[in-house]
Amino acid sequence: MMRQTLPLAVASLLVLAGCAEVSEPRDGPSTAPAASPPAGSVRPVGEPRVLATGLASPWSIVRLGDADSTLISERDSGTVVERLPSGRLRDVGVVQGVVHAGEGGLLGLAVPPASSGSARWLYAYLTTATDNRIVRMPLAGESGSYRLGDPTPILTGLAKAGNHDGGRIAFGPDGMLYATVGDAGQPSRAQDPASLNGKILRMTPTGGVPRDNPSSASLVYSLGHRNPQGIAWDADGQLWAAEFGQNTWDEFNRIEPGGNYGWPVVEGIGSKSGFIDPLYQWPTADASPSGLAFAGGTFFLAALRGERLWAINPGSTITAQPYFTGDLGRLRDAVAGPDGSLWVLTNNTDGRGTPGEGDDKLVEVRLDVSRAG
């Protein structure tokens, strides 16, 4: 199928689990954005450049290489779309078993860093008729002719719901596969050691438990999460995650193996013994955080309800600066692009946004890397 593109130039255990994208923050202290970017931080410059248009409820971006194609998941249809280096779009295929309902469908995509040639795999986090699961599929062909093989389940049986499905997957610098799993609408799951929901998981590429996990018998890497959707590693290999709050605070967390991040007992900074506080928080109207990228020493966070791109500087004091507020609408994902750029995915056709001309889009944002320390 040919797709239309633009030219390249162009909190307690009884708390109810509402959706942060539509709820209003309660009164309370706020972590205010920085008045201006700190010295040495990387920041967006210029206007975003449109790389592709006509995407339907897109969710995740996977770049296969600077000179290769980029793959994009479409949540509702289960389609994997290929953007060629020329800017043309084509459908690679539909992932078998995807059943869209609410926030579920075809969600995160990932490719192992060393995946190439006949051994190339595409991993996907998806909702089926009975569960959320992770599968991997052979990715055959080359740029302009990629095709999907039959899926092999890596992890099955994750509870699904109309919201809080999590869904981000990524390979870490250690070669392990990480997955964010929401509480699927039941907050108590986040503190239940017998449940994989409300957790960040770490597994081998075939779904096994790594021997150096916090528990040698469990995929759980951290717990006490409501609906995490953004994960990225800094230059030192430290994992960070962004998480939807309920009514008050969205979170930016430094993830420690075996750490408990408090949901549903704590939302945001609670200073409660036994739980790890976020190092930055936003009122839910300012963020509803989804995809997270690390580029040039700075994190970039795609915000849905907040309709902005947050640049987060993880120094001794974490600061955050908003960009493009309201210009692009809802933002779902962000990844590092070629030549000091950031690629950002809009999300205005998912039923909650207001689609504009050409939505949804993949856009490129130039970064002022000369400021990097």
Side-chain angles (χ1 to χ4, degrees):
M1 174 180 175
M2 295 292 292
R3 289 171 176 259
Q4 186 178 23
T5 61
L6 290 181
L8 290 180
V10 209
S12 73
L13 287 173
L14 298 177
V15 70
L16 295 176
C19 180
E21 295 182 33
V22 296
S23 56
E24 291 297 331
R26 297 188 296 267
D27 293 337
S30 172
T31 302
S36 60
S41 64
V42 173
R43 63 181 177 184
V45 292
E47 295 297 319
R49 181 171 71 112
V50 177
L51 300 176
T53 62
L55 298 164
S57 300
W59 211 92
S60 181
I61 313 166
V62 169
R63 298 187 60 251
L64 300 179
D66 286 355
D68 204 339
S69 294
T70 295
L71 303 181
I72 302 167
S73 63
E74 292 189 327
R75 184 192 70 184
D76 299 1
S77 68
T79 303
V80 175
V81 179
E82 177 185 4
R83 181 197 179 271
L84 281 68
S86 66
R88 184 170 66 89
L89 298 182
R90 61 177 291 270
D91 290 351
V92 176
V94 175
V95 178
Q96 298 175 24
V98 172
V99 176
H100 161 61
E103 295 175 2
L106 179 59
L107 304 178
L109 300 179
V111 173
S115 180
S116 61
S118 60
R120 175 169 275 180
W121 294 95
L122 178 66
Y123 287 69
Y125 185 119
L126 63 137
T127 309
T128 73
T130 58
D131 65 1
N132 283 315
R133 62 179 55 190
I134 299 171
V135 303
R136 70 174 184 173
M137 300 158 284
L139 183 62
E142 58 187 16
S143 183
S145 63
Y146 283 121
R147 59 190 183 277
L148 300 177
D150 292 337
T152 298
I154 297 300
L155 176 64
T156 63
L158 301 172
K160 68 164 193 168
N163 55 10
H164 306 184
D165 288 300
R168 195 71 58 188
I169 55 175
F171 281 89
D174 56 4
M176 296 294 125
L177 179 65
Y178 292 73
T180 69
V181 185
D183 66 15
Q186 291 190 22
S188 61
R189 289 178 173 138
Q191 295 294 326
D192 181 358
S195 173
L196 295 182
N197 285 81
K199 314 292 194 300
I200 293 176
L201 308 181
R202 178 177 182 259
M203 66 199 77
T204 68
T206 55
V209 179
R211 287 182 293 179
D212 57 347
N213 262 15
S215 168
S216 61
S218 175
L219 296 176
V220 173
Y221 192 68
S222 62
L223 68 157
H225 300 288
R226 181 175 180 268
N227 190 23
Q229 282 190 13
I231 50 175
W233 289 262
D234 64 22
D236 296 324
Q238 171 63 51
L239 176 62
W240 298 74
E243 179 172 341
F244 287 80
Q246 179 175 290
N247 294 319
T248 312
W249 299 117
D250 293 329
E251 300 180 0
F252 182 62
N253 288 301
R254 184 182 188 274
I255 302 301
E256 299 178 10
N260 189 330
Y261 291 82
W263 177 255
V265 180
V266 178
E267 178 185 358
I269 298 172
S271 302
K272 189 174 182 63
S273 178
F275 302 123
I276 300 173
D277 281 337
L279 295 184
Y280 199 91
Q281 63 183 15
W282 298 265
T284 55
D286 292 347
S288 291
S290 193
L292 182 68
F294 184 75
T298 299
F299 286 100
F300 293 93
L301 177 65
L304 290 162
R305 186 182 175 202
E307 297 190 354
R308 67 201 74 181
L309 180 71
W310 285 99
I312 307 166
N313 301 285
S316 55
T317 300
I318 293 182
T319 61
Q321 184 77 17
Y323 292 90
F324 311 118
T325 302
D327 294 345
L328 299 169
R330 292 161 57 84
L331 304 182
R332 174 64 73 177
D333 200 11
V335 299
D339 304 322
S341 68
L342 192 75
W343 286 18
V344 179
L345 194 61
T346 71
N347 198 203
N348 298 312
T349 59
D350 70 344
R352 288 182 173 167
T354 302
E357 183 178 358
D359 276 338
D360 269 308
K361 306 180 186 75
L362 176 67
V363 303
E364 181 182 64
V365 173
R366 303 304 304 178
L367 301 178
D368 182 6
V369 295
S370 65
R371 295 170 53 89

